[in-house]
Amino acid sequence: MIRTILTFDVPGDRIDSILEAYEREDILQRSMDEAGGVAADISVATDGSGRVLVTALWPDEAAYQRWVDNPFRAESNGRLGELMNGVVGIGQTFRVMSGAEG
């Protein structure tokens, strides 16, 4: 399994617009449906800092690469970039080594 983590900081007055864009364009669900992801979520820092965290779980690197190569992803990134004043997030990929569920 692979987990991807994307963080970006946006002005507080833009957070609702970012969340609405993710919802309107169904970005998280499309990443799952079109690239074979397992789960995805978007979270906002509770401290008011404007930090946004997008995480996704993928069965393997090939599934994540399908999402990276997806034309919709490039298009939606462009539209999101406009909302974020061109701010580019910091993304990382991690190999999941173990886990637990409650």
Side-chain angles (χ1 to χ4, degrees):
M1 291 274 200
I2 299 296
R3 180 173 312 280
T4 55
I5 297 176
L6 171 66
T7 59
F8 49 90
D9 296 309
V10 296
D13 64 341
R14 297 276 176 104
I15 290 177
D16 286 342
S17 296
I18 299 296
L19 296 175
E20 289 168 7
Y22 264 85
E23 184 69 25
R24 179 179 59 253
E25 298 199 31
D26 207 19
I27 294 171
L28 298 179
Q29 190 61 53
R30 284 186 75 158
S31 70
M32 299 297 99
D33 294 345
E34 295 180 18
V38 176
D41 58 61
I42 186 168
S43 305
V44 176
T46 59
D47 63 4
S49 65
R51 175 144 303 159
V52 177
L53 174 68
V54 181
T55 62
L57 190 61
W58 307 90
D60 52 36
E61 291 182 41
Y64 176 60
Q65 190 62 50
R66 282 193 298 276
W67 179 239
V68 168
D69 296 339
N70 188 301
F72 170 78
R73 180 179 183 266
E75 295 166 12
S76 63
N77 279 353
R79 290 186 293 274
L80 287 169
E82 292 173 13
L83 291 173
M84 294 185 263
N85 296 331
V87 174
V88 177
I90 299 170
Q92 288 184 281
T93 303
F94 298 84
R95 184 170 314 285
V96 177
M97 304 307 287
S98 67
E101 291 185 33

